[in-house]
Amino acid sequence: MGWAGRLGERLTPRVWLALVAVAFGVVQVLLVRDLPLGWDESIYASQDDPRRPALLFTAPRARGMPWIAAPLQAVTGSTVALRVYLAVLASVALYLAYAVWLRVRPDASVPLAALGFGSLWITLFYAPSLMPNVPVALAGVLATGALLCAALRRGPRWLPWAGGAAVAAATLIRPGDVVPLVGALAVAVLLHPRWRRRAVSLLTPPVVGAVLGALPWVIEAQQRYDGLFARVRRAISTQSTGQRFVPDYELRALDGPLLCRPCNRATQPIPLTGLMWWVAGAVLVGVAVWLVLRSRPRVGGSAEVAAVGFRGTPRSAVLLPAFVGGVVALPYLLLVGYAAPRFLLPAYALLALPAAQALRHLCLRPSGVVRPAAAGVVAVLLAGQLVVQYRQLTSIVAGSDPGRQHLVALAAAMARHGVSPPCMLIGSDAAPVAYVARCDAVRIRTSPGDEPFTLADLRAEATRQHVALVLRSGQARPSYAKGWTALPAKDLPHGWRVYVAPAS
């Protein structure tokens, strides 16, 4: 056996998965590490940063992301360090989440699925960001794989509880996304004749994980919002735009903007590359599902095992991620009246598994021998996909950086005019500026759960610290700030205005 053969033996699917995870982390660090924090990141990062006041934490948010950042923030407030730290965590999570699937699909489709998900510009952009979507997506992959391993009796006894821990982590980070995940897993178990008899043992870990993960959110609801249902209503009203059943919004936002709210069909056309990517992905998932449904059981095997590609693959190893991935996408496609590319990351992470299985099937003959022509075409298409995603990522980073750098420049300009800690900012766009300036940011109380802050409180604070109103061009100055001093426009970044309250 030559060196190529020995190398091929050593490059097992697990090794390929590790290489994908390492490359995933390296690309994040190289391309995204210098990007300043965005709006939501500023809110999360401020909660446990000993160097800054905690910014207003609204009803929909959960404490998971601040807790993830807290160990690093105890040491340093560096944004670059935070990005590298999150990139390392995301790389480890990518490996662990997809490695579970090697127990039921010990072939190249698993690292290929990890590559497909990890190479998306959306994943690469948000993995080193202090945002909940990538951790929740990978937790969903791990939880689904752990339940499948338990259902097929593959893996150690602790593995289902590892899946439950993943559900708990996802609930700590983003409770709303866990509801369709656990619901889909429960429906899948109850619909499967063999699994139904073991429903209690199979569903106990994810259900217990969801309950434990939700406890901090529920306790905070009792403390700040007069109860759980009041907080849920407040969270829904905060996120609601009054629109429903607008699945095309997610497609229109696929290549940016990062937040399409409001999403206007006239000014936000459907991107051709995004449409092609969605169609190709849907076709691949459909092909994988069709293959397992039409295939006969492997000779000597059970009805659970279908001959797909080179090795027999459990039918449920294709059908379960396809079903759960579809279900977790539905709330954002049908119930949310605005869009962001990151919202569908949990669905993409799961749907990558059946899509990769379809690609593998296309590249192999039934005997397991590679089809050179088909493999070549797939390799070219994958290379093209990587190029497209790289270009889109660099474009999004380049487009986001100037706006975030404006926040840095605005904070510096305010400091030059005396607005420095201790300070307090007010205005609908004050929060990300306040984080950079190391000020507090408040808003006048309008609903239960808001900070108990009134105009009288604002006037009182002006006697103790610097208070400033931060507005974008086009926003009207409220009546209470009519007598405040405007900072010179020439000293501020374009598109911003600042009014400083008089000390009294």
Side-chain angles (χ1 to χ4, degrees):
M1 182 183 296
W3 67 269
R6 291 192 297 271
L7 181 62
E9 285 187 350
R10 293 176 181 175
L11 290 177
T12 62
R14 189 172 295 275
V15 173
W16 277 115
L17 179 58
L19 292 174
V20 168
V22 170
F24 177 58
V26 169
V27 173
Q28 295 172 57
V29 171
L30 290 177
L31 298 182
V32 191
R33 71 178 185 275
D34 294 323
L35 189 67
L37 297 184
W39 177 296
D40 293 290
E41 291 182 286
S42 299
I43 302 295
Y44 289 127
S46 71
Q47 300 305 307
D48 295 308
D49 189 338
R51 303 159 195 84
R52 293 175 170 86
L55 302 178
L56 178 63
F57 208 71
T58 54
R61 301 187 187 276
R63 296 287 171 178
M65 293 312 298
W67 290 347
I68 288 174
L72 181 75
Q73 290 181 319
V75 179
T76 176
S78 166
T79 298
V80 173
L82 180 62
R83 296 259 184 250
V84 174
Y85 168 73
L86 293 171
V88 171
L89 292 182
S91 300
V92 173
L94 181 81
Y95 176 81
L96 294 177
Y98 283 97
V100 173
W101 289 83
L102 291 172
R103 297 181 181 275
V104 292
R105 289 165 52 166
D107 55 48
S109 68
V110 174
L112 182 60
L115 175 64
F117 175 69
S119 62
L120 296 178
W121 77 261
I122 317 167
T123 312
L124 289 166
F125 185 86
Y126 283 108
S129 300
L130 194 60
M131 295 290 284
N133 309 88
V134 171
V136 168
L138 295 175
V141 172
L142 198 158
T144 305
L147 184 142
L148 180 61
C149 288
L152 300 180
R153 304 183 193 280
R154 302 189 186 186
R157 293 183 178 180
W158 55 261
L159 187 57
W161 289 103
V167 172
T171 312
L172 283 170
I173 293 168
R174 197 171 175 88
D177 281 7
V178 175
V179 175
L181 171 65
V182 175
L185 293 175
V187 169
V189 168
L190 295 176
L191 289 179
H192 195 290
R194 296 186 178 185
W195 299 358
R196 190 184 307 129
R197 293 192 290 269
R198 300 164 52 212
V200 173
S201 63
L202 291 176
L203 293 177
T204 295
V207 171
V208 169
V211 171
L212 292 178
L215 283 179
W217 202 82
V218 173
I219 293 171
E220 189 176 41
Q222 296 294 333
Q223 295 174 338
R224 288 185 55 194
Y225 293 91
D226 300 326
L228 175 61
F229 294 108
R231 183 174 191 178
V232 171
R233 287 193 298 270
R234 183 69 195 284
I236 293 174
S237 66
T238 300
Q239 303 286 18
S240 177
T241 64
Q243 289 184 298
R244 296 288 187 273
F245 307 105
V246 283
D248 62 301
Y249 282 7
E250 285 295 338
L251 180 55
R252 293 175 189 277
L254 192 56
D255 288 346
L258 297 179
L259 181 64
C260 192
R261 182 177 183 176
C263 213
N264 192 322
R265 290 187 175 98
T267 58
Q268 189 68 33
I270 293 176
L272 179 60
T273 55
L275 178 62
M276 293 172 62
W277 185 74
W278 264 26
V279 170
V283 168
L284 288 173
V285 173
V287 166
V289 171
W290 177 71
L291 284 169
V292 295
L293 292 178
R294 70 181 285 272
S295 60
R296 295 181 178 181
R298 188 175 58 184
V299 176
S302 68
E304 182 65 39
V305 179
V308 180
F310 176 45
R311 290 184 179 180
T313 298
R315 293 172 180 262
S316 49
V318 173
L319 297 179
L320 184 63
F323 172 70
V324 178
V327 170
V328 298
L330 288 179
Y332 289 109
L333 293 174
L334 302 180
L335 302 179
V336 178
Y338 61 99
R342 59 188 173 89
F343 287 167
L344 294 186
L345 281 172
Y348 297 150
L350 284 161
L351 295 175
L353 288 157
Q357 189 68 34
L359 285 175
R360 182 176 179 275
H361 175 81
L362 295 174
C363 294
L364 297 178
R365 295 190 176 97
S367 62
V369 177
V370 175
R371 294 186 177 105
V377 170
V378 169
V380 170
L381 292 176
L382 287 176
Q385 166 72 356
L386 293 176
V387 171
V388 169
Q389 295 300 318
Y390 169 78
R391 293 181 63 181
Q392 187 63 27
L393 174 62
T394 54
S395 174
I396 291 293
V397 171
S400 301
D401 189 60
R404 298 186 184 189
Q405 292 293 351
H406 276 183
L407 303 179
V408 178
L410 182 60
M414 291 166 55
R416 288 194 298 270
H417 284 275
V419 183
S420 57
C423 48
M424 177 177 289
L425 305 185
I426 193 166
S428 59
D429 292 290
V433 183
Y435 179 83
V436 179
R438 301 194 178 194
C439 299
D440 195 5
V442 297
R443 66 184 184 191
I444 305 303
R445 180 185 177 97
T446 57
S447 302
D450 284 346
E451 291 180 328
F453 203 82
T454 65
L455 287 176
D457 296 324
L458 188 65
R459 297 186 186 99
E461 287 298 328
T463 66
R464 294 189 285 267
Q465 60 181 320
H466 304 293
V467 174
L469 171 68
V470 177
L471 297 176
R472 290 183 183 270
S473 296
Q475 292 179 326
R477 184 174 9 167
S479 58
Y480 63 78
K482 293 300 183 183
W484 293 13
T485 303
L487 297 189
K490 63 181 179 62
D491 294 342
L492 305 178
H494 178 70
W496 291 92
R497 293 178 296 151
V498 176
Y499 299 91
V500 180
S504 57

